[in-house]
């Protein structure tokens, strides 16, 4: 199955506390994505000397559901829905629904 959003894509958040912010997808896990410097949460951790990890409050990214992000279309400057299209040579590619332009060249 081909995902609508992949690692390395520029996305814009459309719902939640970080609505309107834009960032790059760092990883995709199931139906959730991690976006760089978006949806930051504070995590209280205990020190672990076995892996040389200090204790304290660390800040890290939390996952965002796929339905709360849209692929950023640099041509229009806003988020756009994504569909799929099969080219003449048999390749399946992602396309922006609004313009029909191919996402991955």
């Amino acid at each position: 199955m081909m995902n609508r959003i992949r690692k390395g894509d520029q996305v814009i958040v459309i719902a939640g506390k970080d609505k309107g912010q834009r960032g790059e997808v760092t990883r995709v896990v199931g139906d959730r994505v991690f976006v760089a410097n978006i949806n930051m949460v504070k995590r209280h951790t205990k020190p672990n000397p076995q892996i040389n990890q200090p204790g304290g409050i660390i800040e890290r990214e939390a996952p965002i559901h796929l339905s709360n992000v849209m692929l950023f279309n640099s041509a229009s400057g806003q988020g756009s829905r994504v569909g799929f299209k099969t080219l003449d040579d048999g390749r399946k590619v992602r396309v922006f629904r609004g313009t029909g332009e191919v996402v991955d060249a």
Side-chain angles (χ1 to χ4, degrees), residues 20-65:
Q21 291 190 5
R22 197 172 92 195
E24 184 177 336
V25 175
T26 54
R27 63 185 172 138
V28 180
V29 181
D31 62 350
R32 295 184 173 271
V33 293
F34 288 83
V35 184
N37 299 320
I38 307 275
N39 199 22
M40 300 297 283
V41 294
K42 289 186 179 349
R43 176 94 170 103
H44 298 254
T45 58
K46 285 178 122 177
N48 188 345
Q50 290 178 341
I51 58 172
N52 201 17
Q53 176 186 6
I57 302 171
I58 60 166
E59 211 171 3
R60 66 177 192 187
E61 295 136 4
I64 305 173
H65 196 270

Side-chain angles (χ1 to χ4, degrees), residues 32-98:
R32 295 184 173 271
V33 293
F34 288 83
V35 184
N37 299 320
I38 307 275
N39 199 22
M40 300 297 283
V41 294
K42 289 186 179 349
R43 176 94 170 103
H44 298 254
T45 58
K46 285 178 122 177
N48 188 345
Q50 290 178 341
I51 58 172
N52 201 17
Q53 176 186 6
I57 302 171
I58 60 166
E59 211 171 3
R60 66 177 192 187
E61 295 136 4
I64 305 173
H65 196 270
L66 281 172
S67 66
N68 294 331
V69 296
M70 276 184 130
L71 197 60
F72 183 74
N73 187 348
S74 55
S76 68
Q78 55 191 2
S80 182
R81 293 181 301 148
V82 179
F84 296 102
K85 186 178 187 179
T86 306
L87 300 178
D88 295 332
D89 60 358
R91 287 188 301 142
K92 185 178 176 184
V93 293
R94 299 180 297 166
V95 294
F96 288 117
R97 287 275 176 92

